[in-house]
Amino acid sequence: EIVMTQSPATLSVSPGERATLSCRASQSVSSNLAWYQQKLGQAPRLLIYDASTRATGIPARFSGSGSGTEFTLTISSLQSEDFAVYYCQQYNKWPPLTFGGGTKVEIK
Amino acid sequence: QVQLVESGGGVVQPGGSLRLSCAASEFTFSTYGMHWVRQAPGKGLEWVAFIQYDGINKYYADSVKGRFTISRDNSKNTLYLQMNSLRGGDTAVYYCAKRGMAATGTSWFDPWGQGTLVIVSS
């Protein structure tokens, strides 16, 4: 099973600032990585797939990078609606499909 | 717009059974693989099961293998999860999710349903 590790667990950021979230895989997942945003009480929403491709309707301030075992989600200028929990997920080798433990982005 | 609507959640005693449904609309259901993903209260996301577009291939997380069965009825555009021998650790919101694209190698989740809560408690 591929273990996904996200850091930090909590990120405190002021509105308008940049946020950088990390995701590490226990073995290479190539570029087969997705990012999701989950707001309180809501279902997750796909942001990024194939490590760097934005999903339909996702603002350009969200960008993904990386390959192999190290990945980054960057939110260039945080808006109030971006405060949420973010998860990474690998789909390179499965079953099982596996998620990271999440990073909570909170208001500083 | 693609829509997934889960139903069938509720409170069940340990050892009991429950069947979840996921009604799909606004896309060609019969051409997409589908997943179930769950989230225990206050916890992260856990993939549960996958079924291929034609229902032939199915995969399960080890935590549910032998107890849960995923199935689908393409004539009704509906996905199911039969859950037997339920345990406290199965308490979670259960989401159905569509495979990202019809092609293989696209096993991200997009979109997700709103979820249905299953509580296993005596």
Side-chain angles (χ1 to χ4, degrees):
Chain A
E1 173 176 331
I2 297 177
V3 176
M4 307 301 293
T5 303
Q6 291 186 243
S7 61
T10 303
L11 187 61
S12 298
V13 185
S14 299
E17 290 188 341
R18 173 187 294 258
T20 303
L21 289 66
S22 295
C23 175
R24 174 177 293 177
S26 61
Q27 59 184 269
S28 176
V29 299
S30 186
S31 294
N32 296 314
L33 186 107
W35 289 95
Y36 302 88
Q37 176 193 66
Q38 187 178 32
K39 297 179 181 179
L40 192 63
Q42 296 185 16
R45 176 176 71 147
L46 176 71
L47 298 176
I48 301 284
Y49 62 92
D50 289 347
S52 60
T53 302
R54 271 190 305 277
T56 302
I58 301 303
R61 65 180 181 272
F62 291 92
S63 63
S65 63
S67 66
T69 61
E70 300 284 344
F71 300 88
T72 300
L73 175 70
T74 301
I75 312 171
S76 60
S77 176
L78 270 159
Q79 307 297 302
S80 58
E81 62 266 29
D82 300 335
F83 293 96
V85 179
Y86 294 82
Y87 295 94
C88 62
Q89 175 239 332
Q90 70 81 21
Y91 49 93
N92 188 63
K93 183 178 178 182
W94 66 285
L97 293 162
T98 50
F99 293 89
T103 291
K104 181 181 181 181
V105 177
E106 64 176 24
I107 300 175
K108 187 174 182 179
Chain B
Q1 182 169 333
V2 173
Q3 192 167 15
L4 300 170
V5 179
E6 301 94 336
S7 61
V11 180
V12 60
Q13 292 188 339
S17 298
L18 212 55
R19 188 176 86 153
L20 307 183
S21 299
C22 170
S25 59
E26 303 303 324
F27 69 102
T28 308
F29 180 72
S30 61
T31 64
Y32 283 87
M34 296 291 296
H35 297 270
W36 287 99
V37 180
R38 68 184 180 182
Q39 186 171 36
K43 302 298 184 183
L45 301 167
E46 179 188 18
W47 171 77
V48 173
F50 168 80
I51 185 168
Q52 191 172 288
Y53 68 96
D54 54 5
I56 292 178
N57 289 319
K58 305 174 185 181
Y59 304 109
Y60 299 92
D62 285 347
S63 58
V64 307
K65 201 173 293 182
R67 300 187 298 123
F68 289 12
T69 301
I70 189 171
S71 62
R72 64 192 297 159
D73 186 336
N74 285 345
S75 69
K76 296 182 178 179
N77 288 350
T78 303
L79 175 72
Y80 302 100
L81 185 68
Q82 177 66 43
M83 305 186 296
N84 298 332
S85 303
L86 283 161
R87 308 164 179 167
D90 297 318
T91 294
V93 174
Y94 285 74
Y95 297 100
C96 65
K98 172 182 149 291
R99 185 179 212 168
M101 295 182 182
T104 57
T106 63
S107 284
W108 58 84
F109 309 101
D110 183 41
W112 302 56
Q114 87 287 351
T116 188
L117 177 61
V118 172
I119 299 173
V120 183
S121 174
S122 55

